[in-house]
Amino acid sequence: MDLAWQELMAITELQEFEVPNENPFEAIPYLSMEPMVSQGGFGMSQPQPESIPATCDAHPAAVYENAYPEMMPPYQRLNPHMDMHYSLPVPGGHGSSRMLANTQALHPPLMSLLEHMNMKTRSHGIAKDGVINLHCTGQIKQACTDDLESDSGLSLGSSPPLASPENAVHGVPSYLPADGMMGYAESESIGEQYRMRPSLLGSVDYQQSYSSYPGTSFPTTANMQPINQQTYQPIASLKQPVLPTALHDLQLNSSGLTRLGAYQSMYPKPSSVPVPLNRDQRRARTLKIPFSLDKIVNLPVDDFNELLTQFTLNDAQLALVRDIRRRGKNKVAAQNCRKRKLENIVHLENELGQLRAQREHLTRERLEFQQNLAIIKCRLSDLYTQVFSQLHDEEGHPYSVEEYSLQQTNDGNIYLVPRNTALEGE
DNA sequence: GAGACTTGTCATGTA
DNA sequence: ATTACATGACAAGTC
């Protein structure tokens, strides 16, 4: 009996199944984990899963070698919520965490296998990044496409890469010089259309407003200098009288635009092809709006209102300016909204792929766990039967496995007790 | 010419 | 009340 007992205890993995306050030799809690094995006890007549080796005498180590040909990472590292997959109903109130802990302790190779799975997951993340990169490439392609019919005078290329107040107003210089230029080619002075306030006479805004219209010749005021005498003359390709405005932005820059952005917005890229005016540009040109669409759209509200106060605009002009501002901001918002939508789609697709891979791993892991559990139960049943075959009462009658179980006390002694009886202090 | 796609705009809701 | 922003829906243009 001692020999049989030692053999029984030699299955070290069984100790991992021990549950406090439970009969260590009661396998009923684990039977519930195994739908393939009946709960009728450990009789040799238990049905065996097809995948279980023919003999129950196989060494546990050999069992594990066969059952875990590869490593599997801990799923919990991938998704802490996935322990729900282990939450099989367990009589006796054993939580899923307990079972998972047992599982990990029961199958040491499983840890390495789970690590392997974890690495695969990291690799998947790299692939995810690759997808995003492809997506961004597409965005760049889109961003390079000018929309010549944009009512608000903006385009994807001039839009900030992300929706942020900083980008929208301050940071990113426009790729489209047309944003800052109305494209006006009229030779007549539109400045005469406005009644400049005395305090603003000769102001830089006044100059700037005209500088926004390439091709416009300005009425020369006392403090205005010919454009070819300005500080930024070195830009050879510049033929339009926009330098005073650029100088103003570089010196003052109180409009919310960065110096670089304002500077570049005032220096259109040379283009041999004339850019057709969009609807708002044409309207602004018709109504002779004295400042650029870029400012109308991108200035902060305070600066925008201040800009409006510097000119006396009629109702039609004010309405147009506010419409341009509204449409321009909404255009950027729509672009950002669509970009976020696409990014969300890519993100969800990646998550879906990860979840599918995790589900596949879990299914495989669960199957392997069930197979090994059945093997262990079979082995335990063998040893249990072997132990009981050597136990006899005073009259020489064998004890029944169905009626008695083995329990170990704290002092290490093993007792044969009826199944419906629990030893005190255990 | 039909359909998919892109982009701008409007209407509406929210902060 | 105003403003900015987000987003669905629609229209127009493009491929």
Side-chain angles (χ1 to χ4, degrees):
Chain A
M1 180 177 175
D2 289 342
L3 182 62
W5 180 254
Q6 292 298 326
E7 186 178 359
L8 180 63
M9 294 303 294
I11 307 177
T12 57
E13 291 78 8
L14 292 178
Q15 298 174 5
E16 301 296 337
F17 277 117
E18 287 185 5
V19 180
N21 302 324
E22 284 285 341
N23 183 348
F25 303 102
E26 283 289 344
I28 291 177
Y30 311 111
L31 287 174
S32 63
M33 291 285 296
E34 179 48 70
M36 295 181 294
V37 180
S38 69
Q39 300 190 15
F42 293 103
M44 294 302 292
S45 61
Q46 298 176 37
Q48 300 297 329
E50 294 180 359
S51 58
I52 296 178
T55 173
C56 289
D57 294 333
H59 193 276
V63 170
Y64 291 131
E65 288 176 359
N66 293 332
Y68 295 92
E70 61 176 333
M71 305 309 170
M72 188 173 290
Y75 186 77
Q76 285 178 310
R77 299 183 183 181
L78 302 175
N79 189 345
H81 306 293
M82 292 305 290
D83 57 358
M84 56 178 287
H85 292 273
Y86 294 94
S87 301
L88 299 175
V90 178
H94 302 299
S96 58
S97 59
R98 171 66 182 179
M99 290 307 301
L100 180 58
N102 286 340
T103 303
Q104 292 173 340
L106 178 63
H107 312 296
L110 189 59
M111 293 301 296
S112 300
L113 185 60
L114 295 178
E115 289 287 352
H116 180 64
M117 179 179 174
N118 197 19
M119 292 180 60
K120 287 182 178 179
T121 304
R122 295 194 191 101
S123 300
H124 190 79
I126 296 174
K128 171 186 176 181
D129 292 341
V131 174
I132 293 177
N133 288 338
L134 290 174
H135 169 68
C136 291
T137 302
Q139 292 294 314
I140 292 173
K141 178 184 177 182
Q142 292 179 348
C144 294
T145 305
D146 293 346
D147 182 5
L148 303 181
E149 293 302 321
S150 169
D151 283 349
S152 60
L154 299 177
S155 73
L156 279 178
S158 63
S159 300
L162 289 175
S164 71
E166 293 78 6
N167 287 343
V169 176
H170 301 288
V172 182
S174 171
Y175 296 126
L176 272 186
D179 283 349
M181 311 301 167
M182 289 296 212
Y184 288 179
E186 299 173 355
S187 59
E188 63 178 357
S189 170
I190 62 176
E192 296 175 355
Q193 305 296 327
Y194 302 95
R195 301 188 306 274
M196 298 299 297
R197 298 181 181 181
S199 62
L200 295 175
L201 282 177
S203 69
V204 187
D205 274 330
Y206 179 76
Q207 305 170 31
Q208 175 182 345
S209 64
Y210 293 100
S211 71
S212 299
Y213 305 91
T216 300
S217 62
F218 297 94
T220 302
T221 58
N223 58 347
M224 280 185 172
Q225 297 180 6
I227 195 64
N228 54 4
Q229 298 177 10
Q230 296 297 321
T231 306
Y232 296 98
Q233 181 62 27
I235 299 180
S237 61
L238 185 65
K239 297 180 180 180
Q240 306 300 334
V242 297
L243 291 177
T245 299
L247 177 61
H248 165 65
D249 281 349
L250 286 172
Q251 291 174 340
L252 299 181
N253 189 33
S254 61
S255 63
L257 294 173
T258 63
R259 293 173 184 271
L260 180 60
Y263 182 85
Q264 293 189 355
S265 68
M266 291 302 143
Y267 291 86
K269 298 175 182 177
S271 175
S272 58
V273 180
V275 178
L277 302 181
N278 60 45
R279 191 180 65 184
D280 276 343
Q281 285 176 328
R282 290 193 298 268
R283 289 173 178 173
R285 177 178 171 178
T286 301
L287 295 181
K288 305 187 185 310
I289 303 300
F291 30 77
S292 70
L293 270 66
D294 183 65
K295 282 187 177 300
I296 293 173
V297 174
N298 293 326
L299 278 181
V301 60
D302 291 340
D303 295 339
F304 175 69
N305 290 331
E306 181 180 355
L307 181 66
L308 292 181
T309 62
Q310 294 173 357
F311 297 89
T312 302
L313 304 179
N314 57 39
D315 293 341
Q317 289 172 322
L318 279 175
L320 177 60
V321 166
R322 296 195 181 280
D323 281 346
I324 290 173
R325 182 174 175 86
R326 174 178 51 80
R327 284 193 291 264
K329 288 189 173 300
N330 187 250
K331 180 198 289 187
V332 176
Q335 292 165 355
N336 292 330
C337 180
R338 285 160 179 153
K339 184 178 181 180
R340 280 191 300 271
K341 192 179 295 183
L342 287 175
E343 290 173 348
N344 287 337
I345 292 173
V346 172
H347 177 70
L348 290 175
E349 287 176 345
N350 287 332
E351 277 193 342
L352 179 62
Q354 291 182 11
L355 289 175
R356 284 174 174 165
Q358 291 170 355
R359 182 182 61 182
E360 184 179 345
H361 276 291
L362 282 173
T363 300
R364 190 162 50 241
E365 182 181 348
R366 179 186 178 188
L367 177 61
E368 292 171 353
F369 174 80
Q370 291 173 341
Q371 292 173 350
N372 284 279
L373 185 61
I375 292 172
I376 291 170
K377 290 175 181 175
C378 181
R379 179 64 174 164
L380 179 62
S381 177
D382 282 349
L383 295 175
Y384 228 78
T385 303
Q386 186 176 350
V387 169
F388 271 80
S389 65
Q390 303 180 35
L391 297 177
H392 304 278
D393 58 14
E394 297 174 350
E395 300 178 355
H397 298 124
Y399 288 97
S400 171
V401 177
E402 285 75 18
E403 298 177 357
Y404 292 90
S405 65
L406 298 174
Q407 290 192 14
Q408 188 175 25
T409 58
N410 292 333
D411 56 6
N413 294 325
I414 302 170
Y415 295 90
L416 188 65
V417 297
R419 284 191 175 271
N420 57 357
T421 304
L423 288 178
E424 293 183 357
E426 295 303 311

